[in-house]
Amino acid sequence: VANFRTSCPIPRHSLMVALNDILPPTVRIRKVHEVEGAFHARYDVHSKTYRYRILQAPVCPPFLCRFVYHYPYPLNVRQMAKAARKFEGQHDFTSFAGADHALRTSFDAKPEDSNVRKMFTSRLAQRKGLQLLVYEVCGSGFLHHMVRNIVGTLIEVGKAITRRDHSNPHRRRPHESRPDGSGARSLPRQSEVLSGIRRTSIIGRFT
């Protein structure tokens, strides 16, 4: 969703057609709305939903490689799903921010730079027939690289669950933070999709 001010007299539908004529084929405008002047596409948001797909098939088909993260190794999916739920609620997600974001906010921290975010849902589902894991998270906002870093951490949980040292009193919980943002492994971005937005005013969820 994007917004802009214009004095153009072209009707909304004709404007959509005209803009699509000059945009590259990979970008398309589906709807055009007239909104109040105070509306902001970025800030008038109640929640966002992201999905990340992990393909566990032995071979990744060429037509899927741009849309999934291929990980054909054993994972303890049950424990990963259990860990995913721990991200629900309000936490400081500094550990799951990109290093550039964490460093920027640590030097000149302001109230609006807080890395505290509220996650409404955080779930991992397994689609056995497709050999696919789908992580979906809905929250009030997200830090740079945050979703990919969370999924990377869940994969580490799935790999290490059998050898984890439960007796270590200093073992970090998933949402506990480090000031430099180095607490998680980042995954490739091609599998991350913004699948939904809920707004405080107009234009509800899209898929």
Side-chain angles (χ1 to χ4, degrees):
V1 176
N3 68 284
F4 61 92
R5 297 178 183 274
T6 180
S7 57
C8 177
I10 301 176
R12 287 179 295 170
H13 177 74
S14 299
L15 181 62
M16 180 180 70
V17 173
L19 290 173
N20 281 330
D21 281 343
I22 62 175
L23 287 169
T26 54
V27 180
R28 279 294 172 262
I29 296 174
R30 298 170 57 189
K31 293 181 181 179
V32 175
H33 295 268
E34 186 173 346
V35 298
E36 296 179 357
F39 174 79
H40 195 288
R42 178 180 178 185
Y43 298 118
D44 289 353
V45 172
H46 174 265
S47 66
K48 296 180 180 179
T49 300
Y50 283 92
R51 288 195 188 113
Y52 197 98
R53 295 176 174 87
I54 304 167
L55 182 68
Q56 290 209 277
V59 178
C60 180
F63 56 85
L64 282 182
C65 65
R66 293 173 52 206
F67 309 105
V68 299
Y69 173 61
H70 186 217
Y71 191 87
Y73 309 107
L75 289 170
N76 190 320
V77 178
R78 178 177 295 182
Q79 292 299 325
M80 291 173 66
K82 185 177 179 180
R85 298 288 293 270
K86 293 184 180 296
F87 290 100
E88 295 179 348
Q90 184 165 294
H91 308 290
D92 183 337
F93 283 94
T94 298
S95 290
F96 300 94
D100 54 345
H101 179 98
L103 289 174
R104 182 174 67 250
T105 57
S106 64
F107 284 121
D108 54 349
K110 302 174 184 177
E112 59 268 26
D113 292 329
S114 170
N115 289 338
V116 174
R117 298 292 187 273
K118 185 175 183 179
M119 298 299 109
F120 303 113
T121 59
S122 173
R123 307 292 171 86
L124 181 78
Q126 184 177 32
R127 300 179 181 176
K128 293 184 178 180
L130 300 175
Q131 295 181 289
L132 191 69
L133 300 179
V134 180
Y135 175 66
E136 182 171 282
V137 58
C138 175
S140 62
F142 295 85
L143 307 177
H144 195 217
H145 294 178
M146 178 174 152
V147 175
R148 286 183 269 159
N149 289 342
I150 288 176
V151 179
T153 299
L154 293 179
I155 287 180
E156 293 301 313
V157 168
K159 290 194 304 182
I161 193 66
T162 56
R163 62 177 185 272
R164 180 182 295 171
D165 181 6
H166 291 277
S167 65
N168 182 0
H170 302 294
R171 185 165 53 86
R172 210 166 41 96
R173 292 193 297 258
H175 53 73
E176 288 180 343
S177 67
R178 291 178 181 173
D180 61 354
S182 63
R185 168 197 175 194
S186 187
L187 296 183
R189 64 182 177 183
Q190 77 268 13
S191 184
E192 182 182 340
V193 176
L194 175 62
S195 62
I197 294 178
R198 290 191 183 277
R199 300 192 173 275
T200 56
S201 53
I202 68 158
I203 313 176
R205 185 178 177 87
F206 67 87
T207 57

